[in-house]
Amino acid sequence: MTTTDVKGAESAGDPTANEAVGHAAGAAPVAAGTALEGTDTTAAPELEEENLSLPGQEVSAAHAALNRGARLRSFEVADHAVPKSDIEEWRFTPLRRFSALFEDAATDDREGDPAVDHAVTVPEGAPEPSTLAPGQAPRGTVLVPEDLPTAIASARTEQALHLVAAKNVAYDAPFRVDITGRGAHRRANAHLVIEAQESSSSIVVLNHTGSAQYAQDVEILVGDNAQMTVITVHDWDDDAVHIAQHHARVGRDARLKHVAVTLGGSAVRLNSIGEYAAPGGEIEKLGLYFSDEGQFFENRLFIDHSAPNCTSNVAYKGALQGKGARSVWVGDVLIRKEAEGTNTYELNRNLVLTEGARADSVPNLEIETGEIEGAGHAAATGRFDDEQLFYLRARGIPEIEARRLVVRGFFAEIIQQIDVPEVRERLSAAIEDELARSMN
């Protein structure tokens, strides 16, 4: 067995080491090729020796500790420790900002006044929404919590919302769940189960607005030969805190497109997992985020290739502006020994618009078989492309408008792949609003 774990050093919560790892693990400058003014451009410390296990050797202890596929999963709240900065999956996260979601607390629902309102709309002819109690299938057949907040969300949700795209039906309109928080200091827990039955075709939009302390589990089942798009939009108010785990399983010759958009909130952390139940599955994960002053957005992804002849593609793009704007992207892909014929690629790009913003980008690839079609990753963080700006300004376009055009083009690749025109238009308008804050 050949196992390659492309990871950086363990930093034990040291912010300096964290930043060094983020840069050395692929956060190279974009074409502009120059650092922002005021940025420390000294060489980052060398990484520790990579945790590699070569044929005929035992897996190293460091590799075993970091292996993404070996992470603890349990419905029992007591099995999960309170997150600490010296734990790999939390080392970039500002834990104090999320501390309310580490408490085993019930949802703060009041008579006629829920902490978070879930308004559901289904396409014409679709089954009516239903609920699932703990242990009632298909709830819990795919998603098993990986951390304390999502274990609490599961245990504290008595009835999970269940949406079903019926077998052999293609829906013209999307399923919609409008999730509205009723107060920044009100706690809410939720579990959603989204099911695409065999040979169905559907789109599901999860829209988050308002404010709350929100812990959420989203379980996605895509049946054989089905096609499903799930779009989650986080457009919270500036004081909202949100932790979520999305876990999807894709059947034989099925396809899932998962789109994660984060524009609002004080701190938002999404752990998105995709796995395969049979050969021929395809998973595409797209993401877009725009972090303003003081906002923290974290996206962690895991694609678990455990079936042969499956494909995955990941593309996330983010922009940051303002003092204290922060983003974290960690992409893990595991190709197991039995996953021959795998084809996978992951990409993350970050555009820093002002001083004082920071992006950490860490792609990880673990390969346990040499019989694959292809595997690769790329990540970069940088400022505006000076050549693009020069080209535009040389044609009479003012600098501010030229910068806007560059940012629009940067995000266009992701926005154009969103299947709902209403969402595309909303995102384009939101990006224009963000640019107006920094460029006027």
Side-chain angles (χ1 to χ4, degrees):
M1 178 182 74
T2 302
T3 303
T4 305
D5 182 15
V6 186
K7 293 182 184 284
E10 295 181 77
S11 63
D14 179 359
T16 303
N18 286 349
E19 187 167 9
V21 171
H23 288 301
V30 294
T34 56
L36 291 174
E37 294 181 7
T39 300
D40 183 4
T41 59
T42 57
E46 291 186 6
L47 295 178
E48 296 175 3
E49 182 179 357
E50 290 183 335
N51 303 311
L52 304 179
S53 299
L54 302 176
Q57 295 180 340
E58 294 184 1
V59 176
S60 68
H63 180 191
L66 295 175
N67 186 287
R68 185 61 174 82
R71 185 167 296 174
L72 170 69
R73 293 179 180 174
S74 173
F75 289 105
E76 298 297 326
V77 173
D79 290 342
H80 298 277
V82 175
K84 297 181 180 179
S85 61
D86 60 353
I87 300 174
E88 171 63 25
E89 62 261 36
W90 295 96
R91 66 188 175 104
F92 292 111
T93 308
L95 298 179
R96 290 183 181 180
R97 298 178 69 169
F98 289 103
S99 60
L101 296 179
F102 304 154
E103 300 176 6
D104 188 0
T107 298
D108 181 22
D109 282 342
R110 307 163 189 175
E111 186 175 354
D113 182 21
V116 169
D117 184 51
H118 296 76
V120 183
T121 305
V122 301
E124 184 177 354
E128 288 298 313
S130 61
T131 58
L132 299 170
Q136 183 179 358
R139 177 177 175 175
T141 60
V142 173
L143 187 151
V144 181
E146 285 197 344
D147 55 41
L148 180 61
T150 50
I152 295 171
S154 176
R156 291 288 189 169
T157 303
E158 295 182 1
Q159 297 293 328
L161 174 65
H162 185 205
L163 302 178
V164 178
K167 181 178 179 179
N168 296 325
V169 178
Y171 296 96
D172 294 330
F175 294 74
R176 291 187 61 95
V177 183
D178 289 299
I179 301 163
T180 306
R182 301 298 187 188
H185 300 292
R186 299 184 65 182
R187 172 64 180 271
N189 305 287
H191 191 123
L192 286 68
V193 181
I194 302 169
E195 183 180 2
Q197 295 183 345
E198 181 180 353
S199 299
S200 63
S201 178
S202 58
I203 298 172
V204 179
V205 178
L206 309 178
N207 183 42
H208 305 78
T209 58
S211 191
Q213 299 169 355
Y214 189 53
Q216 178 193 50
D217 295 337
V218 178
E219 193 164 2
I220 303 168
L221 302 88
V222 185
D224 293 349
N225 201 42
Q227 297 187 43
M228 172 171 276
T229 298
V230 176
I231 304 170
T232 179
V233 180
H234 310 122
D235 197 10
W236 296 104
D237 292 344
D238 289 341
D239 50 3
V241 178
H242 181 193
I243 287 181
Q245 178 176 321
H246 290 205
H247 195 146
R249 180 178 294 158
V250 175
R252 184 181 298 274
D253 298 324
R255 184 177 189 273
L256 170 68
K257 178 190 287 188
H258 184 276
V259 183
V261 177
T262 307
L263 300 172
S266 172
V268 178
R269 186 182 197 267
L270 174 59
N271 178 23
S272 177
I273 303 168
E275 62 183 47
Y276 302 86
E282 180 180 348
I283 295 176
E284 183 175 24
K285 288 185 176 292
L286 306 175
L288 182 156
Y289 47 91
F290 204 130
S291 178
D292 266 334
E293 180 175 351
Q295 290 181 316
F296 175 85
F297 298 153
E298 180 170 359
N299 286 280
R300 287 183 173 263
L301 298 88
F302 178 38
I303 306 291
D304 189 351
H305 282 273
S306 57
N309 302 316
C310 293
T311 64
S312 65
N313 182 65
V314 173
Y316 271 61
K317 289 191 173 185
L320 302 91
Q321 65 181 11
K323 182 178 181 180
R326 180 81 190 280
S327 72
V328 173
W329 180 91
V330 179
D332 290 295
V333 175
L334 170 61
I335 304 175
R336 297 184 185 268
K337 185 176 181 180
E338 60 270 27
E340 297 180 354
T342 290
N343 195 349
T344 180
Y345 192 79
E346 58 177 350
L347 168 74
N348 178 231
R349 292 281 188 264
N350 297 288
L351 188 58
V352 179
L353 304 179
T354 64
E355 295 181 29
R358 171 181 162 184
D360 288 288
S361 182
V362 185
N364 301 311
L365 178 61
E366 299 179 69
I367 305 174
E368 298 180 349
T369 175
E371 301 298 325
I372 61 175
E373 291 295 320
H377 58 215
T381 299
R383 50 165 285 175
F384 284 105
D385 187 331
D386 290 337
E387 292 183 0
Q388 291 180 353
L389 291 176
F390 177 81
Y391 177 87
L392 294 169
R393 294 186 66 187
R395 280 148 182 79
I397 299 175
E399 182 177 356
I400 291 179
E401 184 58 27
R403 289 177 178 269
R404 286 178 174 172
L405 288 173
V406 170
V407 177
R408 290 171 193 157
F410 177 74
F411 282 127
E413 176 189 5
I414 304 297
I415 294 176
Q416 290 171 359
Q417 296 184 66
I418 296 176
D419 301 322
V420 182
E422 171 195 347
V423 176
R424 287 200 304 267
E425 294 168 4
R426 177 181 168 192
L427 294 184
S428 296
I431 290 170
E432 290 298 321
D433 290 342
E434 296 283 0
L435 293 176
R437 298 181 191 179
S438 64
M439 297 185 182
N440 285 340

